[in-house]
Each structure stands twice: as structure tokens, then as C-alpha cells.
Amino acid sequence: MTASSPAGPVTPASVDARTARLTERLADALTARGLRARVARGARVLASNPAGDPPDGDHRAAVLSPGLRQTVVCGTDRDGRLLWFWQWSGPTRESPPEYEPLCAADDISHAADRIARVLRVVDGPTREEER
């Protein structure tokens, strides 16, 4: 049985087409906020902040600090709602990734703002240091 929406039947192909459009829109919104973003297979957007990259040519820094990066995935939750999910590493190398809801998939601006906030570089003392 195929569910339907006001725009017509919801099929795996229509969800794939929609997530493809949403991932492109989110990548564009992140780029507009000064981040690097690229769309990857599986409805993923890989975002990074170039300000957090280690210095060029410093191999040791590159190994110890891979930079500020975040992966988000567009998919459905248990209720069938299309959402953005944070993708986190599992507790061990052998564990599958873990996913945490971020926001509704159509709310591109909110998703981009939250991702940009997570990947920001803060100049000056942290809140802890100010106390």
C-alpha cells in the first residue's frame, strides 16, 4: 500500500527525489554561511568549517586534529516524518553510527543555523574561562 500526500503518492522514488533536493538546498545554505559542504550518497550532507582545519603541511596536526566536521542525514523517523538527523559515531569502531533528530527536513534555514553554530570557531575566552 502506498501512502499519499497532498502532492500525490509517496513512493520510495518520490522520497529519494525530495531528499536529493533537500540535501542540495542544505549544502547551499551551509556554503552561504561560510562552511564547506558536499552532498554524499545516502542523503548525507558533509559539512566542515575551514577555519578549524590544521595548518597546511603540518602532518602531525592533521592526524591529531582532523578539523571541525559534521555529517547530517535526511531520512524518515518512526512516524514517517522527513527529518534531518545528526550522525554520531557509535561507542566503538565496530558500532554502527547513531542518529539524533535535528529538525524537520523542510526547515533548511534552521538546520543550517544549528550546524553552523556547532561548527563555529570562537575567538577569545570560553564561558568557563570568563567565570
Side-chain angles (χ1 to χ4, degrees):
M1 183 167 125
T2 301
S4 62
S5 71
V10 176
T11 63
S14 68
V15 170
D16 288 347
R18 185 170 175 210
T19 58
R21 285 189 306 274
L22 290 167
T23 55
E24 290 294 337
R25 286 180 53 209
L26 181 58
D28 290 345
L30 291 168
T31 300
R33 286 163 175 77
L35 301 174
R36 286 189 301 238
R38 70 179 180 89
V39 174
R41 286 187 306 162
R44 287 174 166 66
V45 176
L46 311 174
S48 65
N49 185 340
D53 288 349
D56 286 338
D58 189 340
H59 176 70
R60 186 172 185 211
V63 170
L64 296 173
S65 177
L68 295 170
R69 304 174 193 286
Q70 181 64 55
T71 300
V72 293
V73 180
C74 189
T76 55
D77 68 1
R78 291 183 180 142
D79 296 326
R81 296 174 297 188
L82 197 56
L83 303 175
W84 287 109
F85 292 88
W86 299 106
Q87 179 178 311
W88 307 113
S89 299
T92 68
R93 289 181 184 226
E94 296 79 30
S95 299
E98 296 180 357
Y99 299 96
E100 177 185 351
L102 168 60
C103 67
D106 289 328
D107 198 348
I108 298 295
S109 182
H110 182 68
D113 287 345
R114 289 191 63 197
I115 295 163
R117 192 167 36 249
V118 165
L119 296 179
R120 78 184 183 280
V121 174
V122 179
D123 291 329
T126 64
R127 288 185 185 167
E128 287 294 317
E129 293 169 336
E130 291 175 347
R131 289 182 191 169

